[in-house]
Amino acid sequence: MTLSNPVPPGEGDGTDADLAVESATVAATARSPWYFRLPVVSHLRRSVGLQRGMLITGVVLVVGLLLTALFAPLLAPYGFAATGVDGVKFGGQQPPSAEHLLGTTVTGFDVLSRVIWGTRTAVAVMVCAVIASLFLGVALGLLSGYVGGWLDRVLVMLADAIYAFPSLLLAIVMSIVISGGQSGAWGGIMAAAISITVVFVPQYFRVIRAEVVRLKAEPFVEAAKVIGTGHRRIMGTHLLRNSTRTLPLIFTLNSSEAILTLAALGFLGFGIEPTSASEWGYDLNRAMSDATSGIWWTGLFPGLAIVAAVLGVTLVGESINDLNDPRLRTRRKRSRAQRKKVTA
């Protein structure tokens, strides 16, 4: 009886062809124009199936949020604090109609105008808080992980201590300290932004520090030290570029948390005065008493705006994280003819 030789693992099952196709895709991406290699654009080109659908949905929601904030004066039919036009009052708790597409609130504000103007407040808090957290956290993480010693121990201890403070409680305290609990537009924005910055700096710090501690023992860092490369160049070029892979996910999660924190401050009465700026959390607080009377439009649309903004930012972050991780990325299916063409 003749026994056939076993086929080695990986042969005859298309694994080599898949690897060749993947290599060809990577090479083609490297030769593509620079605008195709931008973060979100490159992820859209590499995505497929459900991952592409999630990313496109998130991008559409985020772009809609940004465009609404940018063109709020053109899109909003009235001002955020307008209760009448040409000396004629709007009337309180008016249902949706041709004059007021989303109705009016108990104080006579136009709901559609409040929702549109509220995007500016949400985007301002998100940008101020997250950018400040990103720069501070990354800088401290690089310094702590690279220098080590007593500086590293002190910074790690401070980061652990900050985690003991709930983000919403710290936001309330900062709001009271900065503006006395009620403030104008920029006072409320800065109160929320500073509190979120203090809370989320440790997240960036710990992620970057862990990566820097791992990378500074790698051969390419040791080689840079041997040839006399300065510490500033090693930290800014070799370590920073290789330790920021997971930052897009943290960045987007913090952006959504910033929107939720601002809404919570307004809902609890520590946010921005309604005559200074529009804020979704305040509108939800004022709509609580309306819900028991069957007046649904004053609270539904600000709540939907919060959900859409948070969902869009979260979908973008989760999709980018999945596409950056080869273990989670869904590969595009190739036909057998394409595989033969690549391996030929």
Side-chain angles (χ1 to χ4, degrees):
M1 182 176 63
T2 304
L3 298 177
S4 59
N5 294 327
V7 179
E11 293 187 6
D13 57 356
T15 304
D16 294 338
D18 289 339
L19 293 176
V21 170
E22 188 73 15
S23 301
T25 303
V26 173
T29 303
R31 294 192 300 268
S32 60
W34 64 269
Y35 48 85
F36 283 150
R37 297 195 297 270
L38 294 175
V40 178
V41 177
S42 63
H43 290 90
L44 280 172
R45 298 183 68 203
R46 287 188 289 131
S47 61
V48 63
L50 181 60
Q51 287 181 341
R52 168 167 288 187
M54 292 174 56
L55 182 56
I56 291 176
T57 302
V59 169
V60 169
L61 291 174
V62 171
V63 171
L65 174 70
L66 297 178
L67 291 179
T68 303
L70 181 63
F71 298 106
L74 301 177
L75 297 176
Y78 309 103
F80 58 85
T83 57
V85 60
D86 296 332
V88 180
K89 295 291 184 180
F90 291 151
Q93 299 177 332
Q94 297 296 315
S97 61
E99 292 79 12
H100 306 283
L101 296 180
L102 302 184
T104 62
T105 66
V106 65
T107 52
F109 295 137
D110 182 70
V111 175
L112 177 59
S113 300
R114 295 282 299 178
V115 170
I116 292 176
W117 283 101
T119 58
R120 282 199 161 187
T121 307
V123 170
V125 171
M126 181 176 63
V127 170
C128 294
V130 177
I131 289 182
S133 303
L134 178 65
F135 278 98
L136 287 175
V138 170
L140 293 176
L142 274 174
L143 187 63
S144 178
Y146 185 75
V147 175
W150 65 268
L151 178 63
D152 181 47
R153 290 193 293 270
V154 170
L155 291 177
V156 170
M157 182 183 64
L158 290 176
D160 292 338
I162 293 176
Y163 274 117
F165 293 92
S167 59
L168 182 57
L169 177 60
L170 183 57
I172 293 174
V173 172
M174 294 298 300
S175 176
I176 294 174
V177 170
I178 294 175
S179 58
Q182 290 288 336
S183 61
W186 283 108
I189 290 172
M190 293 308 299
I194 292 174
S195 63
I196 296 168
T197 298
V198 173
V199 170
F200 289 108
V201 161
Q203 290 191 10
Y204 295 101
F205 166 78
R206 299 187 71 167
V207 169
I208 297 299
R209 175 189 172 275
E211 287 294 315
V212 169
V213 170
R214 180 182 65 85
L215 291 172
K216 72 177 183 179
E218 294 291 330
F220 69 90
V221 177
E222 297 294 336
K225 293 179 180 179
V226 169
I227 63 176
T229 305
H231 297 299
R232 182 181 302 177
R233 183 175 180 82
I234 292 176
M235 293 172 61
T237 303
H238 300 285
L239 295 178
L240 179 61
R241 292 181 179 179
N242 292 281
S243 60
T244 57
R245 184 181 65 86
T246 58
L247 287 187
L249 176 62
I250 303 176
F251 181 87
T252 52
L253 291 178
N254 285 356
S255 299
S256 60
E257 184 67 22
I259 297 174
L260 291 175
T261 302
L262 177 65
L265 285 174
F267 184 81
L268 295 175
F270 296 98
I272 302 170
E273 294 181 357
T275 56
S276 300
S278 175
E279 200 277 306
W280 296 329
Y282 172 85
D283 293 339
L284 283 177
N285 176 272
R286 301 293 293 177
M288 287 184 62
S289 58
D290 296 341
T292 59
S293 303
I295 301 174
W296 50 269
W297 55 86
T298 57
L300 175 63
F301 298 108
L304 289 178
I306 296 173
V307 172
V310 174
L311 179 63
V313 174
T314 304
L315 284 178
V316 171
E318 292 288 351
S319 301
I320 291 177
N321 181 67
D322 291 350
L323 292 169
N324 285 341
D325 193 339
R327 297 169 298 180
L328 302 176
R329 184 170 64 243
T330 302
R331 293 184 179 181
R332 188 187 303 273
K333 293 183 179 180
R334 304 278 180 167
S335 65
R336 183 173 296 181
Q338 289 176 315
R339 293 176 180 176
K340 289 182 178 180
K341 182 178 180 180
V342 173
T343 56

